[in-house]
């Protein structure tokens, strides 16, 4: 196959793909078709891992695929209604691949209506500890204790990730989100760790904000934020608020990074099960994530081509999925993107 | 070994914090929410949780809410995961009616709702217990940077005071104040900085008093017209 940018044959890069549950498979189909239509040199190794499907690939199988490919495009994984294990599949994947940093990119897109047009926020969330420790017990009937764990090591690691990200992407400020006025030891440790890392990056501004005030500020004045670095739970809430500000789960890309691997995925990880199979989901977020994956692989001309095609479809405002106030189907939108690239 | 409330550090650099959820308190707040819905003519209660991750803790909260909902068949009950809720609040806050939450999520949701409806200067809240009731603003911002400048928005506190009067069954007085506030902010548009105006705290207060005076005169005038004693 030849790359979109030149006519020289390029050997395709093998990338792991986890279609996921709910609308995941449909969104993946969209990516596959756009890439095929545009001649992007990617081959997919599909791993069907799921906590709600009867036949699921094993985590070992995924680990093995990732060890070879290093990079993955991932759809949302649903949570089972009943009979689930203490630790969710999502958590297991993050832990086993050590994907400690979740990055969600919330940027106002031309053509997507939303409350504010000046949003350009990056939420960097530590996603391997905090409130998601899966350490709960009912010591006395009717009294449940859930452990939240914060470590200096992981706090320093995510802080460094955030500041390195700021430097690499020319961003000016990192804001640590916390509730250290109440959780003085745990969030206090997180905040302290962020502060100590901030000292090593004098060119990046650093401040801190309490999580409830942050959510209030986000809905009233989001332009004040740049990069936000957060522990697990607050990051989950904040990145959903930020995603809502720019148009919702259908338009926001995200990624999870570890030292060895990277996965690219929609920013707000909702499987949208009610829309499954109805061809209504918006593939924008997944396509943006796929473009980011291409950039990560160094396939810059293809990255630009995909982004340009997508941006022109959005800007035209003619083909819009339901969440954007239109009637177009997922396949309509996909075709429009491919056509825009020609 | 550092201990602070329900937080402790057993090993240097590793801190644990305990979140405690009990059946008793979950039951209590759920019942409060449904009673509130019933007595205020609200049609739906939505429980906010993260039980897919905190299966035991938030699971207990959610289960308890469900159990209570069965005693109120006339009130609709549903639930939503907190992250999805946060996103929905930004895009479609009008879908929510009564929201029933544990401590932390409630804190964040209230802050968001304030941001969506004009900010911390407008919204009152109250805290209820078996013996006492405490009225205050919704977001508990102290406004440190505004001290002594006559720019702070008094409306949240005045509304909280009106709520206090209503609680004491001084309903007419409460309604008088609330009606005046609405007139001042919506019709006369006397507003402090935080809601887009240029008026001072004192100017807003004066406007409210003036509006109340006018209303009282209007009431007295209509009473004397209808009075049998001419």
């Amino acid at each position: 196959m030849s790359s979109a940018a030149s006519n020289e044959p390029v050997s395709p890069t093998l990338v792991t793909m986890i279609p996921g549950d709910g609308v995941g498979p449909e969104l993946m189909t969209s990516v596959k078709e756009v890439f095929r239509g545009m001649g992007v040199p990617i081959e997919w190794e599909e791993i069907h891992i799921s906590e709600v499907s009867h036949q699921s690939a094993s985590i070992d199988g995924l680990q093995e695929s990732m060890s070879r490919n290093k990079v993955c495009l991932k759809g949302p994984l649903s949570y089972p209604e009943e009979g689930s294990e203490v630790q969710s599949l999502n958590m297991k994947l993050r832990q086993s691949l050590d994907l400690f940093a979740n990055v969600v990119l919330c940027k106002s897109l031309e053509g997507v209506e939303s409350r504010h047009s000046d949003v350009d926020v990056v939420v960097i969330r530590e996603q391997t500890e905090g409130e998601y420790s899966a350490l709960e017990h009912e010591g006395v009937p009717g009294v449940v204790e859930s452990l939240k764990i914060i470590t200096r090591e992981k706090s320093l690691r995510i802080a460094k990730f955030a500041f390195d990200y700021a430097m690499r992407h020319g961003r000016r400020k990192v804001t640590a989100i916390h509730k250290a006025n109440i959780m003085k030891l745990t969030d206090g440790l997180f905040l302290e760790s962020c502060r100590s890392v901030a000292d090593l990056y004098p060119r990046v501004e650093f401040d801190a904000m309490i999580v409830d005030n942050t959510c209030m500020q986000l809905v009233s004045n989001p332009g004040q934020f740049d990069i936000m670095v957060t522990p697990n739970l607050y990051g989950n809430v904040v990145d959903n608020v930020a995603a809502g500000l720019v148009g919702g789960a259908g338009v926001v890309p995200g990624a999870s990074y570890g030292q060895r691997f990277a996965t690219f995925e929609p920013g707000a990880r909702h499987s949208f099960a009610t829309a499954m199979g109805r061809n209504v989901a918006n593939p924008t977020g997944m396509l943006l994530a796929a473009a980011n994956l291409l950039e990560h692989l160094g396939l810059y001309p293809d990255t630009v081509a995909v982004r340009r095609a997508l941006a022109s479809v959005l800007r035209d405002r003619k083909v819009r999925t339901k969440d954007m106030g239109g009637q177009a189907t997922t396949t309509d939108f996909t075709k429009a993107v491919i056509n825009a690239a020609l | 070994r550092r201990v602070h409330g329900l937080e402790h550090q057993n090993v240097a650099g590793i801190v644990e914090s305990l979140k405690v959820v009990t059946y008793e308190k979950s039951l209590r707040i759920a019942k409060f929410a449904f009673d509130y819905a019933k007595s205020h003519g609200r049609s739906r209660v939505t429980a906010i949780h993260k039980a897919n991750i905190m299966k035991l803790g938030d699971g207990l909260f959610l289960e308890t809410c469900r159990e209570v909902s069965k005693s109120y068949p006339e009130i609709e009950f549903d639930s939503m995961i907190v992250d999805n809720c946060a996103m929905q609040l930004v895009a479609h806050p009008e879908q929510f009616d009564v929201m029933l939450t544990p401590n932390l999520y409630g804190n964040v949701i209230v802050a968001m709702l304030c941001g969506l409806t004009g900010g911390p200067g407008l919204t009152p809240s109250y805290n209820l217990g078996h013996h006492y009731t405490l009225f205050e603003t919704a977001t508990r911002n102290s406004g440190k940077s505004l001290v002594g400048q006559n720019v702070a928005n008094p409306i949240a506190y005045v509304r909280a005071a009106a709520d206090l009067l209503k609680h004491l069954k001084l309903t007419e007085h409460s309604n008088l104040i609330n009606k005046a506030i609405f007139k001042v902010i919506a019709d006369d548009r006397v507003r402090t900085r935080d809601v887009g105006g240029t008026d001072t705290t004192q100017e807003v207060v004066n406007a409210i008093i003036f509006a109340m005076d006018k209303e009282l005169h209007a009431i007295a005038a209509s009473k004397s017209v209808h009075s049998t004693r001419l």
Side-chain angles (χ1 to χ4, degrees), chain A residues 85 142 148 152 179 186 236, chain B residues 7 13 17 23 50 55 107:
Chain A
E85 294 173 37
K148 161 177 161 169
R152 185 183 305 281
K179 192 123 181 118
T186 44
N236 187 208
Chain B
E7 292 185 294
S17 163
Y23 175 71
K50 188 101 188 145
K55 293 169 184 179
N107 186 204

Side-chain angles (χ1 to χ4, degrees), chain B residues 6-62:
Chain B
L6 293 166
E7 292 185 294
H8 56 266
Q9 182 172 230
N10 279 328
V11 175
I14 299 181
V15 186
E16 296 173 353
S17 163
L18 273 178
K19 162 173 148 163
V20 181
V21 177
T22 64
Y23 175 71
E24 186 190 322
K25 292 194 175 182
S26 300
L27 194 69
R28 186 166 70 163
I29 195 68
K31 192 171 187 310
F32 181 88
F34 280 93
D35 284 340
Y36 183 98
K38 207 165 160 184
S39 60
H40 288 77
R42 311 288 282 198
S43 52
R44 195 169 97 248
V45 171
T46 306
I48 311 298
H49 67 98
K50 188 101 188 145
N52 52 331
I53 297 294
M54 282 174 273
K55 293 169 184 179
L56 286 196
D58 283 6
L60 176 60
F61 178 79
L62 185 55

Side-chain angles (χ1 to χ4, degrees), chain B residues 10 42-43 59 73-75 78 96 98 114 120 125-126 147 155 224:
Chain B
N10 279 328
R42 311 288 282 198
S43 52
E74 68 282 13
I75 309 279
D78 64 3
F96 297 104
V98 175
C114 276
S125 76
Y126 58 91
V147 168
I155 293 198
S224 70

